[in-house]
Amino acid sequence: MASEQAAPAAVSKNRYLGARRNADYTIDQDWKSYTDDEHDRWNRLFQRQRAVLEGRACDAFLEAMARLKLSDSGIPEFGELSDRLQAITGWRVVPVTELVPDDIFFDHLANRRFPAGAFIRPESEFDYIEEPDIFHDVFGHVPLLANPVYADFMAAYGRGGARALQRGQLKNLARLYWYTIEFGLIDTADGLRIFGAGIMSSPAETRFSLESSSPNRIRFDLERVMRTDYIIDDFQQVYFVIDSFDRLLADCAVDFGTVYDRVRDQPDLAPHATLPGDEIVTRGDFRYFIEKGKMTAGA
Ligand code: HBI
Ligand code: FE
């Protein structure tokens, strides 16, 4: 009997797992522990994505990235980055190991602290990683926290999150996060642009979200978004389009309780669905999803 090769221990892709953590789930970034390879990987991720974003990311994002001095000169140190950010909008970036419990997450946001993963994806997952690593969190989420209106929206989201938890309606609020903070588009004089972090940190979805004929693109409406299910393991079948960060903040300044009451009694909507009241910006043909066998034509 050939000796069974012991299966190699699952090499953790996240060397911060198991790190000592504080009660608020923050850890020590230990910036000195990043290797040259990890700094080099950040630089390559940055260079590739920054090039793709030209003419595709909203101006506020590109301006904020420059103002925060995010660049391809190695993995940023959260303390220095936070000092620059805090001087602009009062936000800080705090290192965490991985996703933190919802109540902890919302308390950080409500207090203008963005929890960002400290680990960087392995080379084997250079193009896409499911877990939020430092590139997704810092490159994707942090720049717009330097935009005062967006920064206020994120803090309001945190306060709303705590309320949604109390009411047991986190599902509805998570959809607002998903379709704006993660996968939102914004209408500008030069056409549609990206602001969502999930798109911003993905070369393929940066192009798909703006240029593919497949997805629907629908004008943002808070209640509509709160009813709409989302896809977590592929491109979106719908992208919601806001007019401006001012309008997004104003739209979300309503008492979420009344919105929750309205959506609670209404059926959830599939990501590919459209409603008669939708303002369709571009109607999708879902070709990408049909070819992948994820949808049948005429769905
Ligand atoms: N934790 N670190 C981290 N980052 C997130 O984006 C995050 C989280 N915990 C919960 C969470 N997101 C979602 O449940 C909320 O966006 C709804
Ligand atoms: Fe994210």
Side-chain angles (χ1 to χ4, degrees), residues 3-32:
S3 65
E4 296 280 315
Q5 286 290 334
V11 175
S12 162
K13 66 176 92 169
N14 178 350
R15 61 184 177 74
Y16 287 86
L17 287 175
R20 196 195 69 74
R21 64 163 177 79
N22 302 312
D24 65 358
Y25 280 73
T26 55
I27 60 170
D28 174 9
Q29 184 188 11
D30 190 12
W31 185 81
K32 290 185 175 52

PDB file of all heavy atoms in Angstrom, residues 3-32:
ATOM      1  N   SER A   3       2.438   4.626   0.717  1.00  0.00           N
ATOM      2  CA  SER A   3       2.113   5.409   1.946  1.00  0.00           C
ATOM      3  C   SER A   3       1.248   6.596   1.521  1.00  0.00           C
ATOM      4  O   SER A   3       1.526   7.271   0.541  1.00  0.00           O
ATOM      5  CB  SER A   3       3.425   5.904   2.589  1.00  0.00           C
ATOM      6  OG  SER A   3       4.030   6.809   1.695  1.00  0.00           O
ATOM      7  N   GLU A   4       0.197   6.777   2.223  1.00  0.00           N
ATOM      8  CA  GLU A   4      -0.717   7.884   1.912  1.00  0.00           C
ATOM      9  C   GLU A   4       0.035   9.182   2.142  1.00  0.00           C
ATOM     10  O   GLU A   4       0.585   9.400   3.209  1.00  0.00           O
ATOM     11  CB  GLU A   4      -1.929   7.833   2.864  1.00  0.00           C
ATOM     12  CG  GLU A   4      -2.801   6.584   2.694  1.00  0.00           C
ATOM     13  CD  GLU A   4      -3.725   6.731   1.497  1.00  0.00           C
ATOM     14  OE1 GLU A   4      -4.328   7.824   1.367  1.00  0.00           O
ATOM     15  OE2 GLU A   4      -3.766   5.792   0.696  1.00  0.00           O
ATOM     16  N   GLN A   5       0.064  10.011   1.137  1.00  0.00           N
ATOM     17  CA  GLN A   5       0.664  11.338   1.361  1.00  0.00           C
ATOM     18  C   GLN A   5      -0.261  12.132   2.293  1.00  0.00           C
ATOM     19  O   GLN A   5      -1.438  12.265   2.013  1.00  0.00           O
ATOM     20  CB  GLN A   5       0.759  12.086   0.011  1.00  0.00           C
ATOM     21  CG  GLN A   5       1.865  11.559  -0.911  1.00  0.00           C
ATOM     22  CD  GLN A   5       3.247  11.915  -0.346  1.00  0.00           C
ATOM     23  OE1 GLN A   5       3.389  12.888   0.391  1.00  0.00           O
ATOM     24  NE2 GLN A   5       4.218  11.085  -0.649  1.00  0.00           N
ATOM     25  N   ALA A   6       0.303  12.593   3.391  1.00  0.00           N
ATOM     26  CA  ALA A   6      -0.566  13.387   4.294  1.00  0.00           C
ATOM     27  C   ALA A   6      -0.998  14.626   3.519  1.00  0.00           C
ATOM     28  O   ALA A   6      -0.170  15.283   2.876  1.00  0.00           O
ATOM     29  CB  ALA A   6       0.234  13.808   5.526  1.00  0.00           C
ATOM     30  N   ALA A   7      -2.293  14.905   3.573  1.00  0.00           N
ATOM     31  CA  ALA A   7      -2.775  16.115   2.867  1.00  0.00           C
ATOM     32  C   ALA A   7      -2.063  17.332   3.479  1.00  0.00           C
ATOM     33  O   ALA A   7      -1.992  17.462   4.694  1.00  0.00           O
ATOM     34  CB  ALA A   7      -4.285  16.255   3.073  1.00  0.00           C
ATOM     35  N   PRO A   8      -1.544  18.201   2.605  1.00  0.00           N
ATOM     36  CA  PRO A   8      -0.852  19.369   3.186  1.00  0.00           C
ATOM     37  C   PRO A   8      -1.845  20.160   4.048  1.00  0.00           C
ATOM     38  O   PRO A   8      -2.974  20.353   3.670  1.00  0.00           O
ATOM     39  CB  PRO A   8      -0.427  20.162   1.952  1.00  0.00           C
ATOM     40  CG  PRO A   8      -1.237  19.634   0.803  1.00  0.00           C
ATOM     41  CD  PRO A   8      -1.635  18.238   1.162  1.00  0.00           C
ATOM     42  N   ALA A   9      -1.364  20.557   5.195  1.00  0.00           N
ATOM     43  CA  ALA A   9      -2.267  21.339   6.076  1.00  0.00           C
ATOM     44  C   ALA A   9      -2.768  22.523   5.260  1.00  0.00           C
ATOM     45  O   ALA A   9      -2.013  23.130   4.509  1.00  0.00           O
ATOM     46  CB  ALA A   9      -1.478  21.834   7.276  1.00  0.00           C
ATOM     47  N   ALA A  10      -4.042  22.823   5.421  1.00  0.00           N
ATOM     48  CA  ALA A  10      -4.605  23.940   4.655  1.00  0.00           C
ATOM     49  C   ALA A  10      -3.803  25.192   5.022  1.00  0.00           C
ATOM     50  O   ALA A  10      -3.867  25.674   6.142  1.00  0.00           O
ATOM     51  CB  ALA A  10      -6.061  24.124   5.035  1.00  0.00           C
ATOM     52  N   VAL A  11      -3.013  25.654   4.065  1.00  0.00           N
ATOM     53  CA  VAL A  11      -2.191  26.828   4.366  1.00  0.00           C
ATOM     54  C   VAL A  11      -3.118  28.034   4.414  1.00  0.00           C
ATOM     55  O   VAL A  11      -3.756  28.359   3.427  1.00  0.00           O
ATOM     56  CB  VAL A  11      -1.122  27.019   3.254  1.00  0.00           C
ATOM     57  CG1 VAL A  11      -0.350  28.307   3.524  1.00  0.00           C
ATOM     58  CG2 VAL A  11      -0.207  25.806   3.195  1.00  0.00           C
ATOM     59  N   SER A  12      -3.192  28.647   5.563  1.00  0.00           N
ATOM     60  CA  SER A  12      -4.148  29.746   5.666  1.00  0.00           C
ATOM     61  C   SER A  12      -3.711  30.878   4.746  1.00  0.00           C
ATOM     62  O   SER A  12      -2.538  31.271   4.718  1.00  0.00           O
ATOM     63  CB  SER A  12      -4.180  30.282   7.107  1.00  0.00           C
ATOM     64  OG  SER A  12      -4.759  31.551   7.073  1.00  0.00           O
ATOM     65  N   LYS A  13      -4.643  31.416   4.016  1.00  0.00           N
ATOM     66  CA  LYS A  13      -4.336  32.538   3.114  1.00  0.00           C
ATOM     67  C   LYS A  13      -4.276  33.834   3.904  1.00  0.00           C
ATOM     68  O   LYS A  13      -3.873  34.862   3.393  1.00  0.00           O
ATOM     69  CB  LYS A  13      -5.395  32.623   2.020  1.00  0.00           C
ATOM     70  CG  LYS A  13      -6.785  32.990   2.507  1.00  0.00           C
ATOM     71  CD  LYS A  13      -7.749  33.146   1.348  1.00  0.00           C
ATOM     72  CE  LYS A  13      -8.454  31.872   1.039  1.00  0.00           C
ATOM     73  NZ  LYS A  13      -9.579  32.037   0.086  1.00  0.00           N
ATOM     74  N   ASN A  14      -4.698  33.754   5.162  1.00  0.00           N
ATOM     75  CA  ASN A  14      -4.777  34.967   5.970  1.00  0.00           C
ATOM     76  C   ASN A  14      -3.965  34.769   7.241  1.00  0.00           C
ATOM     77  O   ASN A  14      -4.428  34.164   8.198  1.00  0.00           O
ATOM     78  CB  ASN A  14      -6.262  35.241   6.311  1.00  0.00           C
ATOM     79  CG  ASN A  14      -6.446  36.465   7.200  1.00  0.00           C
ATOM     80  OD1 ASN A  14      -5.461  37.013   7.731  1.00  0.00           O
ATOM     81  ND2 ASN A  14      -7.680  36.864   7.380  1.00  0.00           N
ATOM     82  N   ARG A  15      -2.753  35.331   7.217  1.00  0.00           N
ATOM     83  CA  ARG A  15      -1.836  35.064   8.346  1.00  0.00           C
ATOM     84  C   ARG A  15      -2.249  35.832   9.608  1.00  0.00           C
ATOM     85  O   ARG A  15      -1.640  35.697  10.658  1.00  0.00           O
ATOM     86  CB  ARG A  15      -0.404  35.393   7.956  1.00  0.00           C
ATOM     87  CG  ARG A  15      -0.126  36.844   7.578  1.00  0.00           C
ATOM     88  CD  ARG A  15       1.315  37.002   7.121  1.00  0.00           C
ATOM     89  NE  ARG A  15       1.619  38.348   6.680  1.00  0.00           N
ATOM     90  CZ  ARG A  15       1.782  39.394   7.502  1.00  0.00           C
ATOM     91  NH1 ARG A  15       1.617  39.252   8.817  1.00  0.00           N
ATOM     92  NH2 ARG A  15       2.083  40.603   7.020  1.00  0.00           N
ATOM     93  N   TYR A  16      -3.300  36.654   9.506  1.00  0.00           N
ATOM     94  CA  TYR A  16      -3.764  37.364  10.708  1.00  0.00           C
ATOM     95  C   TYR A  16      -4.823  36.565  11.472  1.00  0.00           C
ATOM     96  O   TYR A  16      -5.261  36.974  12.549  1.00  0.00           O
ATOM     97  CB  TYR A  16      -4.323  38.737  10.323  1.00  0.00           C
ATOM     98  CG  TYR A  16      -3.256  39.740   9.933  1.00  0.00           C
ATOM     99  CD1 TYR A  16      -2.774  39.790   8.620  1.00  0.00           C
ATOM    100  CD2 TYR A  16      -2.679  40.590  10.872  1.00  0.00           C
ATOM    101  CE1 TYR A  16      -1.772  40.689   8.254  1.00  0.00           C
ATOM    102  CE2 TYR A  16      -1.696  41.491  10.518  1.00  0.00           C
ATOM    103  CZ  TYR A  16      -1.242  41.531   9.203  1.00  0.00           C
ATOM    104  OH  TYR A  16      -0.254  42.409   8.851  1.00  0.00           O
ATOM    105  N   LEU A  17      -5.290  35.464  10.873  1.00  0.00           N
ATOM    106  CA  LEU A  17      -6.279  34.652  11.597  1.00  0.00           C
ATOM    107  C   LEU A  17      -5.655  34.198  12.909  1.00  0.00           C
ATOM    108  O   LEU A  17      -4.528  33.750  12.935  1.00  0.00           O
ATOM    109  CB  LEU A  17      -6.684  33.431  10.747  1.00  0.00           C
ATOM    110  CG  LEU A  17      -7.580  33.719   9.548  1.00  0.00           C
ATOM    111  CD1 LEU A  17      -7.804  32.432   8.734  1.00  0.00           C
ATOM    112  CD2 LEU A  17      -8.908  34.306  10.001  1.00  0.00           C
ATOM    113  N   GLY A  18      -6.362  34.384  13.978  1.00  0.00           N
ATOM    114  CA  GLY A  18      -5.839  33.950  15.277  1.00  0.00           C
ATOM    115  C   GLY A  18      -5.035  35.036  15.979  1.00  0.00           C
ATOM    116  O   GLY A  18      -4.578  34.861  17.095  1.00  0.00           O
ATOM    117  N   ALA A  19      -4.860  36.180  15.299  1.00  0.00           N
ATOM    118  CA  ALA A  19      -4.116  37.279  15.951  1.00  0.00           C
ATOM    119  C   ALA A  19      -4.879  37.739  17.192  1.00  0.00           C
ATOM    120  O   ALA A  19      -6.103  37.672  17.251  1.00  0.00           O
ATOM    121  CB  ALA A  19      -3.973  38.452  14.976  1.00  0.00           C
ATOM    122  N   ARG A  20      -4.132  38.201  18.163  1.00  0.00           N
ATOM    123  CA  ARG A  20      -4.785  38.719  19.376  1.00  0.00           C
ATOM    124  C   ARG A  20      -5.674  39.892  18.982  1.00  0.00           C
ATOM    125  O   ARG A  20      -5.258  40.754  18.219  1.00  0.00           O
ATOM    126  CB  ARG A  20      -3.721  39.206  20.386  1.00  0.00           C
ATOM    127  CG  ARG A  20      -4.266  39.401  21.812  1.00  0.00           C
ATOM    128  CD  ARG A  20      -3.303  40.222  22.675  1.00  0.00           C
ATOM    129  NE  ARG A  20      -3.257  41.612  22.214  1.00  0.00           N
ATOM    130  CZ  ARG A  20      -4.274  42.474  22.439  1.00  0.00           C
ATOM    131  NH1 ARG A  20      -5.377  42.063  23.034  1.00  0.00           N
ATOM    132  NH2 ARG A  20      -4.199  43.714  22.020  1.00  0.00           N
ATOM    133  N   ARG A  21      -6.918  39.908  19.479  1.00  0.00           N
ATOM    134  CA  ARG A  21      -7.793  41.025  19.078  1.00  0.00           C
ATOM    135  C   ARG A  21      -8.386  41.711  20.300  1.00  0.00           C
ATOM    136  O   ARG A  21      -8.487  41.126  21.367  1.00  0.00           O
ATOM    137  CB  ARG A  21      -8.900  40.518  18.156  1.00  0.00           C
ATOM    138  CG  ARG A  21      -9.879  39.532  18.812  1.00  0.00           C
ATOM    139  CD  ARG A  21     -11.152  39.390  18.007  1.00  0.00           C
ATOM    140  NE  ARG A  21     -12.065  38.405  18.595  1.00  0.00           N
ATOM    141  CZ  ARG A  21     -12.858  38.654  19.638  1.00  0.00           C
ATOM    142  NH1 ARG A  21     -12.812  39.857  20.226  1.00  0.00           N
ATOM    143  NH2 ARG A  21     -13.665  37.730  20.125  1.00  0.00           N
ATOM    144  N   ASN A  22      -8.760  42.979  20.100  1.00  0.00           N
ATOM    145  CA  ASN A  22      -9.417  43.755  21.155  1.00  0.00           C
ATOM    146  C   ASN A  22     -10.902  43.429  21.187  1.00  0.00           C
ATOM    147  O   ASN A  22     -11.419  42.752  20.290  1.00  0.00           O
ATOM    148  CB  ASN A  22      -9.196  45.251  20.877  1.00  0.00           C
ATOM    149  CG  ASN A  22      -7.707  45.598  20.808  1.00  0.00           C
ATOM    150  OD1 ASN A  22      -6.934  45.200  21.690  1.00  0.00           O
ATOM    151  ND2 ASN A  22      -7.301  46.269  19.741  1.00  0.00           N
ATOM    152  N   ALA A  23     -11.585  43.961  22.190  1.00  0.00           N
ATOM    153  CA  ALA A  23     -13.030  43.678  22.335  1.00  0.00           C
ATOM    154  C   ALA A  23     -13.800  44.173  21.109  1.00  0.00           C
ATOM    155  O   ALA A  23     -14.820  43.590  20.724  1.00  0.00           O
ATOM    156  CB  ALA A  23     -13.571  44.361  23.594  1.00  0.00           C
ATOM    157  N   ASP A  24     -13.267  45.208  20.462  1.00  0.00           N
ATOM    158  CA  ASP A  24     -13.981  45.739  19.267  1.00  0.00           C
ATOM    159  C   ASP A  24     -13.466  45.065  17.983  1.00  0.00           C
ATOM    160  O   ASP A  24     -13.677  45.569  16.888  1.00  0.00           O
ATOM    161  CB  ASP A  24     -13.825  47.268  19.174  1.00  0.00           C
ATOM    162  CG  ASP A  24     -12.369  47.686  18.932  1.00  0.00           C
ATOM    163  OD1 ASP A  24     -11.492  46.785  18.877  1.00  0.00           O
ATOM    164  OD2 ASP A  24     -12.136  48.901  18.816  1.00  0.00           O
ATOM    165  N   TYR A  25     -12.775  43.954  18.157  1.00  0.00           N
ATOM    166  CA  TYR A  25     -12.274  43.114  17.049  1.00  0.00           C
ATOM    167  C   TYR A  25     -11.119  43.760  16.276  1.00  0.00           C
ATOM    168  O   TYR A  25     -10.682  43.225  15.265  1.00  0.00           O
ATOM    169  CB  TYR A  25     -13.416  42.744  16.078  1.00  0.00           C
ATOM    170  CG  TYR A  25     -14.262  41.596  16.602  1.00  0.00           C
ATOM    171  CD1 TYR A  25     -15.150  41.770  17.664  1.00  0.00           C
ATOM    172  CD2 TYR A  25     -14.152  40.303  16.068  1.00  0.00           C
ATOM    173  CE1 TYR A  25     -15.903  40.726  18.166  1.00  0.00           C
ATOM    174  CE2 TYR A  25     -14.919  39.248  16.554  1.00  0.00           C
ATOM    175  CZ  TYR A  25     -15.784  39.475  17.606  1.00  0.00           C
ATOM    176  OH  TYR A  25     -16.529  38.416  18.120  1.00  0.00           O
ATOM    177  N   THR A  26     -10.632  44.887  16.727  1.00  0.00           N
ATOM    178  CA  THR A  26      -9.446  45.445  16.053  1.00  0.00           C
ATOM    179  C   THR A  26      -8.204  44.686  16.512  1.00  0.00           C
ATOM    180  O   THR A  26      -8.169  44.107  17.591  1.00  0.00           O
ATOM    181  CB  THR A  26      -9.278  46.955  16.398  1.00  0.00           C
ATOM    182  OG1 THR A  26      -9.246  47.093  17.826  1.00  0.00           O
ATOM    183  CG2 THR A  26     -10.420  47.774  15.809  1.00  0.00           C
ATOM    184  N   ILE A  27      -7.212  44.692  15.627  1.00  0.00           N
ATOM    185  CA  ILE A  27      -5.940  43.987  15.892  1.00  0.00           C
ATOM    186  C   ILE A  27      -4.785  44.960  15.618  1.00  0.00           C
ATOM    187  O   ILE A  27      -5.003  46.108  15.231  1.00  0.00           O
ATOM    188  CB  ILE A  27      -5.803  42.758  14.946  1.00  0.00           C
ATOM    189  CG1 ILE A  27      -5.808  43.195  13.476  1.00  0.00           C
ATOM    190  CG2 ILE A  27      -6.903  41.728  15.226  1.00  0.00           C
ATOM    191  CD1 ILE A  27      -5.445  42.083  12.486  1.00  0.00           C
ATOM    192  N   ASP A  28      -3.582  44.470  15.800  1.00  0.00           N
ATOM    193  CA  ASP A  28      -2.410  45.272  15.444  1.00  0.00           C
ATOM    194  C   ASP A  28      -2.065  44.970  13.975  1.00  0.00           C
ATOM    195  O   ASP A  28      -1.896  43.812  13.591  1.00  0.00           O
ATOM    196  CB  ASP A  28      -1.237  44.872  16.364  1.00  0.00           C
ATOM    197  CG  ASP A  28       0.077  45.554  15.970  1.00  0.00           C
ATOM    198  OD1 ASP A  28       0.039  46.460  15.088  1.00  0.00           O
ATOM    199  OD2 ASP A  28       1.125  45.172  16.519  1.00  0.00           O
ATOM    200  N   GLN A  29      -2.008  45.990  13.142  1.00  0.00           N
ATOM    201  CA  GLN A  29      -1.695  45.750  11.730  1.00  0.00           C
ATOM    202  C   GLN A  29      -0.287  45.175  11.581  1.00  0.00           C
ATOM    203  O   GLN A  29      -0.031  44.383  10.667  1.00  0.00           O
ATOM    204  CB  GLN A  29      -1.800  47.042  10.893  1.00  0.00           C
ATOM    205  CG  GLN A  29      -1.566  46.818   9.401  1.00  0.00           C
ATOM    206  CD  GLN A  29      -1.470  48.092   8.590  1.00  0.00           C
ATOM    207  OE1 GLN A  29      -1.375  49.209   9.118  1.00  0.00           O
ATOM    208  NE2 GLN A  29      -1.507  47.946   7.276  1.00  0.00           N
ATOM    209  N   ASP A  30       0.587  45.537  12.529  1.00  0.00           N
ATOM    210  CA  ASP A  30       1.971  45.004  12.497  1.00  0.00           C
ATOM    211  C   ASP A  30       2.572  45.255  11.107  1.00  0.00           C
ATOM    212  O   ASP A  30       3.034  44.320  10.420  1.00  0.00           O
ATOM    213  CB  ASP A  30       1.959  43.508  12.836  1.00  0.00           C
ATOM    214  CG  ASP A  30       3.390  42.976  13.060  1.00  0.00           C
ATOM    215  OD1 ASP A  30       4.319  43.812  13.169  1.00  0.00           O
ATOM    216  OD2 ASP A  30       3.555  41.731  13.080  1.00  0.00           O
ATOM    217  N   TRP A  31       2.577  46.496  10.669  1.00  0.00           N
ATOM    218  CA  TRP A  31       2.971  46.851   9.309  1.00  0.00           C
ATOM    219  C   TRP A  31       4.358  46.323   8.967  1.00  0.00           C
ATOM    220  O   TRP A  31       4.621  45.917   7.833  1.00  0.00           O
ATOM    221  CB  TRP A  31       2.944  48.385   9.166  1.00  0.00           C
ATOM    222  CG  TRP A  31       3.226  48.838   7.773  1.00  0.00           C
ATOM    223  CD1 TRP A  31       2.350  48.895   6.725  1.00  0.00           C
ATOM    224  CD2 TRP A  31       4.501  49.263   7.252  1.00  0.00           C
ATOM    225  NE1 TRP A  31       2.987  49.330   5.584  1.00  0.00           N
ATOM    226  CE2 TRP A  31       4.303  49.577   5.875  1.00  0.00           C
ATOM    227  CE3 TRP A  31       5.778  49.411   7.813  1.00  0.00           C
ATOM    228  CZ2 TRP A  31       5.342  50.026   5.068  1.00  0.00           C
ATOM    229  CZ3 TRP A  31       6.808  49.872   6.998  1.00  0.00           C
ATOM    230  CH2 TRP A  31       6.593  50.164   5.649  1.00  0.00           C
ATOM    231  N   LYS A  32       5.239  46.208   9.966  1.00  0.00           N
ATOM    232  CA  LYS A  32       6.612  45.744   9.694  1.00  0.00           C
ATOM    233  C   LYS A  32       6.627  44.268   9.269  1.00  0.00           C
ATOM    234  O   LYS A  32       7.607  43.775   8.721  1.00  0.00           O
ATOM    235  CB  LYS A  32       7.509  45.941  10.916  1.00  0.00           C
ATOM    236  CG  LYS A  32       7.818  47.417  11.219  1.00  0.00           C
ATOM    237  CD  LYS A  32       8.820  47.539  12.368  1.00  0.00           C
ATOM    238  CE  LYS A  32       9.242  48.996  12.627  1.00  0.00           C
ATOM    239  NZ  LYS A  32       8.037  49.877  12.789  1.00  0.00           N
TER     240      LYS A  32
END
